[in-house]
Amino acid sequence: MEAGELVPDELICALLVQELKIPKAASNGWLLDGFPRTGGQVEAMVNLGIVPDKVVVLQVPDAVLLDRVFGRRMDPQTGRIYHITKSPVPEGPEKDEIEARLITREDDTEEKFSKRIASFHLNEAALLAAYPDAKVLDGNRPAGEIWAEIEAFLSQPAEPAAATEPAPAVLEAEPAAKPA
């Protein structure tokens, strides 16, 4: 993970199973953010009987994602995430103090971003094939617009959206060149 690689499928799937056994997840439902990321993870979910009712995919251009990552700052005291231009620390008496303690996450480097985005693109087709009924949205719009579409989609009656068969395996390799 420190090198920008994904957490191994076996570990992340074991953690997922453990969390989904919690009674609150069974009664309230669950949301997976950024998971599954590989065909192997989809296959593991299918084999474990983990079937999401709905899947939402946000598509965002790589350059926009890069800007979001490089502008991201975290307040280690509160855990709150800011963005230096899109969601800066608000004006107020604590602004200077908060800004002074903001840090850049260790995985928010160009090298690690390039590895993550290359891995995503390598696995994207398998993920979309595994969830053919996924709601694919343009994620490069104001958050309120995106949320309104997601909320409308989630409020509709659900049929399980996961593949009934494992997704085709996808090999992960180092990118030949950095994504544009």
Side-chain angles (χ1 to χ4, degrees):
M1 203 164 81
E2 289 178 11
E5 304 292 331
L6 297 175
V7 175
D9 290 349
E10 300 79 24
L11 175 59
I12 198 74
C13 289
L15 292 170
L16 177 62
V17 168
Q18 180 180 330
E19 288 299 310
L20 293 180
K21 287 181 180 177
I22 295 172
K24 190 173 181 180
S27 63
N28 294 344
W30 41 271
L31 176 123
L32 304 176
D33 180 7
F35 186 86
R37 292 185 183 204
T38 68
Q41 290 173 349
V42 170
E43 184 175 351
M45 287 178 65
V46 169
N47 292 339
L48 293 166
I50 301 170
V51 180
D53 291 330
K54 297 194 177 196
V55 174
V56 177
V57 177
L58 299 178
Q59 294 189 327
V60 181
D62 292 357
V64 173
L65 292 173
L66 184 66
D67 176 62
R68 289 179 183 175
V69 166
F70 284 176
R72 181 167 50 192
R73 300 293 183 273
M74 184 180 75
D75 181 342
Q77 187 174 332
T78 65
R80 179 153 182 207
I81 303 293
Y82 296 93
H83 189 278
I84 56 177
T85 58
K86 295 174 181 35
S87 181
V89 176
E91 294 295 329
E94 297 181 341
K95 180 180 180 174
D96 291 341
E97 178 185 336
I98 295 170
E99 286 180 334
R101 66 180 185 242
L102 294 180
I103 61 170
T104 301
R105 293 177 9 176
E106 289 183 24
D107 61 338
D108 285 351
T109 67
E110 186 172 357
E111 177 186 354
K112 291 177 183 177
F113 173 82
S114 294
K115 285 183 180 181
R116 287 193 313 257
I117 202 68
S119 176
F120 169 76
H121 288 304
L122 193 60
N123 288 285
E124 183 178 18
L127 294 173
L128 291 174
Y131 300 104
D133 296 327
K135 179 76 168 176
V136 180
L137 300 174
D138 175 5
N140 191 24
R141 298 176 293 143
E145 287 179 26
I146 298 167
W147 174 243
E149 278 193 65
I150 292 172
E151 193 172 34
F153 176 66
L154 294 178
S155 67
Q156 298 169 359
E159 292 287 329
T164 55
E165 302 205 10
V170 176
L171 298 176
E172 293 195 36
E174 283 294 311
K178 291 181 182 174

